[in-house]
Amino acid sequence: MTAKKSCPISAAHKRLMDCHAMWHAVADDYMKPENVRMHLNSLIQGMRNVTFMLQKQKSTLPGFEEWYTEFQAAAKSNPLMRWSVNSRNRIVKESDLELLSEAKVRWIGDWVRKQERNFTFPPRMPSQAILATIFSDPGNPQMGVVTISRRWVDKALPDREILSATREVFINLSTLIATAHNAASPEKCGLAAREPACVTSALATEPLACMDINPGWLQEHFDLEAGRGIEEVAYLVEQTPENCRKSQKRYGSAVNIEGNPIEVAPRIMEQAGKTLMRDKKHVPIIWFFRDNVVVDSMVPIFFNQNGKYLTMHRVADRVESLHANGIIFLNEAWYAKDEKLDKDGQIIPPRDRGRDRCEALHVLVATESGKYASLVTPFTRTIFGKIILGESIIDSGTGLDNDGQFNLLRPVIDRWGKE
Ligand SMILES: [Zn+2]
Ligand SMILES: [Zn+2]
């Protein structure tokens, strides 16, 4: 192994890494109130210690007065940073934070109608009681799916869930440490990685993929369809690291998927065609972009239509957690060359078209800045199972139209619109 390398600000940098680990400790024990209190107390004190340690070293850090004053001024005008400092003082000198537990309810009818409604219920109200309250109102039909998420907030910061709030403070501190590091030495930091394995010396200035502020296990999903009453859905989205790794490897080596998502899409389609010819099928893949860099990918699993709604809302959660501003969704779909209307004048979806439909690879792209693209490559299978790819139909840089093909990405597009 290489000789031990050092860190020019190891005291402060190690405290920052401690904070990363402690943040995960809060997240991992999120459903245990006493553990949340305990780990959060440590995390908030730990975050304050990062700046204390840095200040102690100021005489050795070039330009300290300049960049540290800048950081302090920004922190003073940032309510979250002020909350963090006040919370630390409170924890050390007075008492614990006043944590409140909330239940947030998201109710999804379908893609278009009432995509999302939020209710807030008192802490510790059982899920069944929450559902009974919602549906005692005859204006709320029992259709679609309901998601209940539990969350902690501090009374002094009632609008922010604690994982999200502390993550943002962490990113600010990490950015400060990155500045200090660069000032002290241009060399890479030599601090070793820790437990859990995501706690490395890397200095993030954007949300880390491991710090998920919308984790799936904080949510319960209920399917309201089919007269079965209210039934809990065990899980609807699975991040399969194995598949992700495979696809990342396949696409990572075959295609350069860094860049503007609209421009990357044709390269993804080209590679997808090759994969399809070889494998005869293609798993759906979603890539999350932040500023033209892929920050995550996932393989969504759809069990049924309600599962699809939930899955795409989970994808929107992930977009929010990652601060992603672009998304590409590759999947297999049904395609029809023309439009046919049913007796009510509605367009018949290709999946219901019978013999005049065909299979297709479909790549959908959306960005937070409002750019959209849709690429379709129809294909057929010979009786020997060989895949014949048709001509690709590319609709790039379009606005959102009404034919519903962007419905799948609706939850993501709506989430962007909300910020
Ligand atoms: Zn370092
Ligand atoms: Zn982590």
Side-chain angles (χ1 to χ4, degrees):
M1 299 314 277
T2 50
K4 220 182 193 174
K5 279 189 287 179
S6 61
C7 167
I9 45 167
S10 66
H13 196 166
K14 279 183 184 168
R15 297 301 174 100
L16 182 78
M17 290 167 74
D18 293 349
C19 293
H20 183 170
M22 289 189 279
W23 187 93
H24 281 298
V26 177
D28 290 348
D29 275 356
Y30 202 81
M31 291 311 209
K32 297 177 192 145
E34 285 307 312
N35 293 18
V36 165
R37 184 188 59 77
M38 175 174 74
H39 294 311
L40 189 63
N41 281 349
S42 311
L43 172 58
I44 283 170
Q45 294 176 66
M47 292 197 296
R48 195 75 182 94
N49 287 338
V50 173
T51 47
F52 287 153
M53 292 296 159
L54 203 57
Q55 282 165 336
K56 283 208 176 114
Q57 236 190 298
K58 65 177 166 189
S59 61
T60 67
L61 295 168
F64 180 89
E65 290 304 333
E66 197 179 320
W67 47 259
Y68 196 78
T69 310
E70 209 172 292
F71 166 80
Q72 271 184 321
K76 275 205 184 87
S77 62
N78 181 336
L80 263 181
M81 297 304 280
R82 282 204 308 269
W83 166 80
S84 164
V85 170
N86 294 339
S87 298
R88 179 264 169 190
N89 292 341
R90 177 163 175 187
I91 289 165
V92 172
K93 295 169 189 157
E94 297 169 40
S95 65
D96 292 327
L97 303 183
E98 267 187 80
L99 292 180
L100 309 172
S101 127
E102 270 181 13
K104 260 205 171 319
V105 176
R106 185 162 66 204
W107 177 26
I108 308 158
D110 60 31
W111 296 126
V112 189
R113 282 175 301 157
K114 281 189 198 148
Q115 294 138 18
E116 202 174 304
R117 294 172 54 172
N118 284 309
F119 305 81
T120 304
F121 285 95
R124 292 175 225 288
M125 186 169 180
S127 304
Q128 294 293 340
I130 289 173
L131 295 174
T133 309
I134 296 176
F135 294 107
S136 62
D137 179 344
N140 293 336
Q142 285 208 21
M143 57 169 292
V145 280
V146 162
T147 296
I148 299 179
S149 323
R150 309 261 169 195
R151 41 183 255 160
W152 292 106
V153 295
D154 173 28
K155 204 176 169 191
L157 191 72
D159 297 332
R160 290 295 295 261
E161 185 279 328
I162 56 162
L163 289 178
S164 160
T166 49
R167 187 181 77 164
E168 200 168 318
V169 175
F170 174 83
I171 293 167
N172 281 333
L173 292 172
S174 177
T175 307
L176 172 68
I177 293 296
T179 306
H181 234 287
N182 288 336
S185 153
E187 274 171 48
K188 253 187 119 214
C189 180
L191 292 177
R194 308 232 300 255
E195 289 287 318
C198 59
V199 180
T200 69
S201 67
L203 292 166
T205 54
E206 294 280 359
L208 290 164
C210 61
M211 289 178 145
D212 190 351
I213 55 167
N214 293 311
W217 43 264
L218 284 183
Q219 305 186 349
E220 292 171 276
H221 308 288
F222 298 89
D223 191 333
L224 308 173
E225 298 290 307
R228 283 173 304 181
I230 293 162
E231 191 170 293
E232 185 169 357
V233 187
Y235 67 90
L236 294 123
V237 60
E238 192 180 12
Q239 203 155 358
T240 55
E242 189 50 31
N243 277 343
C244 273
R245 249 199 315 279
K246 269 189 207 152
S247 69
Q248 278 296 57
K249 217 170 137 196
R250 188 172 282 161
Y251 282 82
S253 55
V255 204
N256 174 14
I257 49 172
E258 303 295 304
N260 180 313
I262 302 276
E263 286 157 22
V264 167
R267 300 203 289 269
I268 287 198
M269 180 58 99
E270 197 187 327
Q271 182 57 32
K274 288 180 190 156
T275 304
L276 179 74
M277 306 260 285
R278 187 186 55 223
D279 298 350
K280 316 298 182 213
K281 60 180 165 48
H282 207 302
V283 292
I285 306 175
I286 295 172
W287 288 272
F288 299 85
F289 288 74
R290 184 170 58 220
D291 302 336
N292 300 338
V293 174
V294 174
V295 287
D296 197 15
S297 68
M298 85 171 24
V299 177
I301 295 170
F302 305 127
F303 290 114
N304 54 29
Q305 195 58 35
N306 277 344
K308 215 168 198 174
Y309 297 143
L310 277 184
T311 300
M312 293 316 294
H313 279 269
R314 293 287 302 129
V315 169
D317 285 344
R318 191 78 185 132
V319 162
E320 183 186 9
S321 182
L322 292 165
H323 290 184
N325 50 22
I327 190 166
I328 295 186
F329 186 173
L330 160 68
N331 73 340
E332 279 193 52
W334 292 110
Y335 170 75
K337 282 196 184 64
D338 51 1
E339 284 181 357
K340 277 189 183 163
L341 303 181
D342 65 13
K343 58 182 185 348
D344 301 319
Q346 299 292 316
I347 294 169
I348 304 171
R351 67 169 181 272
D352 299 331
R353 286 276 295 266
R355 292 185 77 79
D356 61 350
R357 66 180 186 184
C358 74
E359 292 174 276
L361 287 168
H362 195 189
V363 173
L364 279 170
V365 191
T367 68
E368 190 176 16
S369 59
K371 298 262 188 304
Y372 304 96
S374 165
L375 292 74
V376 177
T377 305
F379 64 88
T380 51
R381 299 170 193 270
T382 69
I383 51 169
F384 302 109
K386 191 168 176 266
I387 302 274
I388 314 275
L389 293 176
E391 199 70 37
S392 293
I393 304 147
I394 299 178
D395 210 354
S396 191
T398 54
L400 274 186
D401 46 20
N402 295 320
D403 67 3
Q405 63 173 340
F406 284 97
N407 272 349
L408 264 173
L409 295 184
R410 263 284 164 210
V412 172
I413 294 164
D414 290 348
R415 198 69 64 95
W416 279 327
K418 228 172 253 171
E419 276 161 23

